[in-house]
Amino acid sequence: MTKDMTKGRPFGIILAFCLPMAAGSIFQQLYNMVDSIIVGQHVGVNAFSAVSMVGSVYFLVIGTATGICSGFAIPVSQRFGAGDYKGMRKTLYNAVLLSSAIALLLTALTVIFESELLDAMSTPKALYPHAFKYLLIIFCGIPVTIFYNFLSGILRALGDSRTPLKYLLISSGINVVLDVTLIVGFEAGVAGAAAATVASQLISGLLCLRYMVKNLPVLSFEEDELKADTALMKSITAVGLPMAFQFSITAVGSIILQTAVNKLGADSVAAMGAGQKIQNLIVQPMETLGITMATFGGQNLGAGRLDRIHKGIREALIMQMVYTVTIAAAVFFFGDTIAKIFIKSDAEDYLIILGQIRHFLRVTCLFYPILGVLFLFRNLLQGLGFSAVTLLAGAIELASRCFIAFGFVGRLGFDAACFASPTAWSSAGILLVFLYLIEIRRAEGRLTSRTFTQKPAHAVR
């Protein structure tokens, strides 16, 4: 089922599209948390710390895959919004070819250089075996990750956020069963957790593919559409790669910060890992509202409806502020209660780890409204085809995290690490608002002068 987002009240359309996607993202984070909880409770603190430590590397891989898939879906949503279904299918086919090539390349590079990456991160010796096993399986599963994210991204580009949710719920249940079976039953340790994650993504991807083939006649290809088009690939790449780089830059900053935290010891690694997992779950509604604005912006740009884009972002800002203020208050007072499920109460230094988790959450939650603004404007700019300009904001995020990691964590310890992400969010969020105001005025000028052809300068032609 596709959804035309160029008609109707923006508030209702945005909310209806966002809610299923937010639920799906939360469930995805929940089953990722299940991995960590079962590992922490049944394998041990070192195994939990190792899985948490490589979370930034996992985000680099998953973020790059998600960025590529989201970027490749943008020209599809623009063609769909403009009613150019033949052009949409040509774009989709060439995006499939590009995604396949990138999946193979990323898999080869990460598997070959995994040891060097862990060494560069100053991985503690006690954590190294667990981290290596976990990452190796995750890296080998990159094609599966891209397969699932690409198909769900295309469904969202066509206005369907419910179908990916339905299949994600199914695979989430399978993931939990596999976790218990592999980790508890077969004592497969962190390798079992990684294998369960990859298998679940594969199931989700296959279900999405089956649905698209059976239920979306708009994706029924004609023979002349199944051709590699070098010019079209270049145009798609011009949109997709900047989004991948955006995620990569953010992830690299997280890896640099994680490297600094690794030098503080296993307790700090465990605390940072647990705090980030809780935070990743909490920010999903913020992030999915941003992704919704990418699809909303792309379709309305394709239809030449800049007025709807203005109205949509205003109403999305109201939704974002209501959520971020409410959840920040909840996290400030109750966040450490959730943290207790990751660490055994009889674990060594239990109270120290729990105190650090509480401090991390209380610092970062104060900046959730700023993070919400960042998600909205970054994704909207990408949906409008201005992916390249968001790289500047990504570079600011990277610089901010590096500044804290290199300049303060070594001297001030865990306290400084807690302020790294809020500093990055603040600097990038302010910049993105200004970039949006500049770029949308340029688009309005082109539309007014009749030289604007329903696509921005950086969009696929």
Side-chain angles (χ1 to χ4, degrees), residues 96-325:
V96 169
L97 297 179
L98 285 171
S99 298
S100 301
I102 291 171
L104 295 176
L105 179 61
L106 280 177
T107 302
L109 290 175
T110 51
V111 170
I112 291 172
F113 294 106
E114 180 185 359
S115 296
E116 287 78 5
L117 178 59
L118 289 174
D119 290 339
M121 291 181 66
S122 302
T123 304
K125 290 183 179 179
L127 309 185
Y128 194 100
H130 296 296
F132 186 89
K133 290 178 184 177
Y134 185 83
L135 275 184
L136 181 61
I137 295 173
I138 293 296
F139 287 161
C140 289
I142 286 176
V144 172
T145 300
I146 290 183
F147 172 65
Y148 163 67
N149 280 281
F150 180 81
L151 293 181
S152 59
I154 294 301
L155 284 170
R156 287 193 294 268
L158 301 181
D160 182 0
S161 61
R162 294 179 181 271
T163 300
L165 168 62
K166 180 174 66 175
Y167 295 140
L168 184 59
L169 293 178
I170 294 173
S171 68
S172 296
I174 294 173
N175 183 83
V176 173
V177 173
L178 288 175
D179 273 330
V180 174
T181 302
L182 296 175
I183 298 174
V184 180
F186 289 92
E187 298 183 351
V190 295
T197 297
V198 173
S200 299
Q201 290 178 335
L202 177 60
I203 292 170
S204 291
L206 290 173
L207 290 172
C208 285
L209 179 61
R210 177 177 176 271
Y211 173 85
M212 293 167 78
V213 171
K214 282 192 168 186
N215 298 283
L216 296 180
V218 72
L219 297 181
S220 298
F221 290 88
E222 298 177 6
E223 186 175 351
D224 64 323
E225 297 165 353
L226 299 174
K227 294 180 181 178
D229 186 326
T230 304
L232 186 54
M233 283 187 181
K234 288 181 180 179
S235 297
I236 297 170
T237 302
V239 179
L241 286 188
M243 289 188 70
F245 289 147
Q246 168 67 51
F247 279 95
S248 299
I249 288 172
T250 303
V252 168
S254 298
I255 291 173
I256 291 172
L257 177 62
Q258 183 66 59
T259 301
V261 173
N262 288 348
K263 296 177 182 179
L264 300 178
D267 289 350
S268 294
V269 172
M272 179 67 75
Q276 287 179 333
K277 285 188 177 297
I278 295 169
Q279 183 168 279
N280 288 342
L281 175 65
I282 289 166
V283 304
Q284 289 308 304
M286 306 182 214
E287 188 167 10
T288 51
L289 185 55
I291 295 171
T292 298
M293 291 310 298
T295 301
F296 181 86
Q299 286 196 17
N300 281 282
L301 181 64
R305 294 296 307 276
L306 297 184
D307 58 314
R308 285 178 59 80
I309 295 174
H310 284 309
K311 187 174 182 180
I313 189 62
R314 287 196 300 268
E315 297 188 347
L317 276 169
I318 294 173
M319 297 182 220
Q320 199 77 296
M321 290 305 103
V322 170
Y323 176 78
T324 54
V325 171

Side-chain angles (χ1 to χ4, degrees), residues 1 4 22 41 60 94 109 147 190 194 234 273 319 337 347 413 461:
M1 178 180 178
D4 186 349
Q41 295 292 334
L60 173 61
N94 281 271
L109 290 175
F147 172 65
V190 295
K234 288 181 180 179
M319 297 182 220
T337 302
R461 300 184 187 279

